[in-house]
Amino acid sequence: HVSAPFRLVWVRHFQGERLGTAMEPIVADGRCFVATHNGNVYALAAQTGEPLWRFHTRGAFLQSPAFAANRVAVAGTDGHLYGLDAVTGRLRWTFAGERGGFSASPMIVGNTVFVGSRAGTFFAVALKDGRLRWRRPLEAAVRQTAAFADGRVFVTTEDLRVHCLQGSDGRPIW
């Protein structure tokens, strides 16, 4: 339950950074995770806004990271999906997607990270080590975060189609 009066608790300015319009901070386990166009992921203490760590790479992050099981997954325009340790920010694994990179947020379900690429491929990657579980070519770019229900992945492509895939193996359902 949230009730008034509301008051500002903290503000954090990111000098020289740009946050994408689709990037929303993710709060989990007492940390706030923010990804930027300059290729940075920041972890802040959720209660105070104090910086905890920063991870940097060459590609921009256009959307939010995802969090589960002490991992932060973030997908960059450099074509890589990164698995970071949520406490330390240390790189645990990198998955090389494809040219064109990613502009969608990853989605984590159980021990799998799902994300679609701007080149039109949808990937399922192991959360623990970044190994490819499956890939499914689609006919157009994926720029939105997928959804998951009843073992199925639902993903929208830029050609305004919705695809339903079997979450375990990527087989098209419709």
Side-chain angles (χ1 to χ4, degrees):
H1 178 83
V2 178
S3 58
F6 303 106
R7 63 182 179 82
L8 182 63
V9 176
W10 58 265
V11 173
R12 175 63 50 194
H13 296 282
F14 297 99
Q15 195 67 28
E17 292 278 19
R18 180 169 169 235
L19 302 181
T21 57
M23 203 300 301
E24 297 172 346
I26 302 299
V27 178
D29 281 357
R31 293 173 186 82
C32 177
F33 303 101
V34 178
T36 74
H37 276 220
N38 288 3
N40 290 304
V41 177
Y42 293 94
L44 310 171
Q47 292 294 320
T48 64
E50 283 301 309
L52 301 172
W53 53 257
R54 177 181 73 104
F55 171 79
H56 177 74
T57 190
R58 295 177 314 218
F61 297 118
L62 303 179
Q63 292 222 19
S64 303
F67 171 89
N70 197 41
R71 289 284 187 270
V72 175
V74 62
T77 59
D78 64 356
H80 290 87
L81 178 65
Y82 300 93
L84 310 175
D85 182 287
V87 174
T88 66
R90 199 169 110 213
L91 179 65
R92 293 298 187 180
W93 52 261
T94 302
F95 172 77
E98 58 192 357
R99 293 183 65 131
F102 300 98
S103 63
S105 290
M107 171 185 66
I108 301 172
V109 178
N111 58 5
T112 304
V113 181
F114 298 95
V115 68
S117 75
R118 297 195 296 185
T121 304
F122 196 79
F123 297 94
V125 175
L127 178 62
K128 180 180 178 183
D129 58 15
R131 283 183 301 110
L132 177 67
R133 293 190 181 213
W134 55 261
R135 74 174 62 211
R136 171 64 52 196
L138 303 175
E139 295 181 20
V142 177
R143 297 185 190 272
Q144 293 81 28
T145 305
F148 188 92
D150 300 324
R152 297 175 176 189
V153 178
F154 300 88
V155 60
T156 304
T157 51
E158 288 290 295
D159 60 1
L160 302 179
R161 295 174 190 236
V162 178
H163 303 263
C164 178
L165 308 173
Q166 184 64 42
S168 59
D169 60 12
R171 181 177 41 84
I173 296 171
W174 48 263

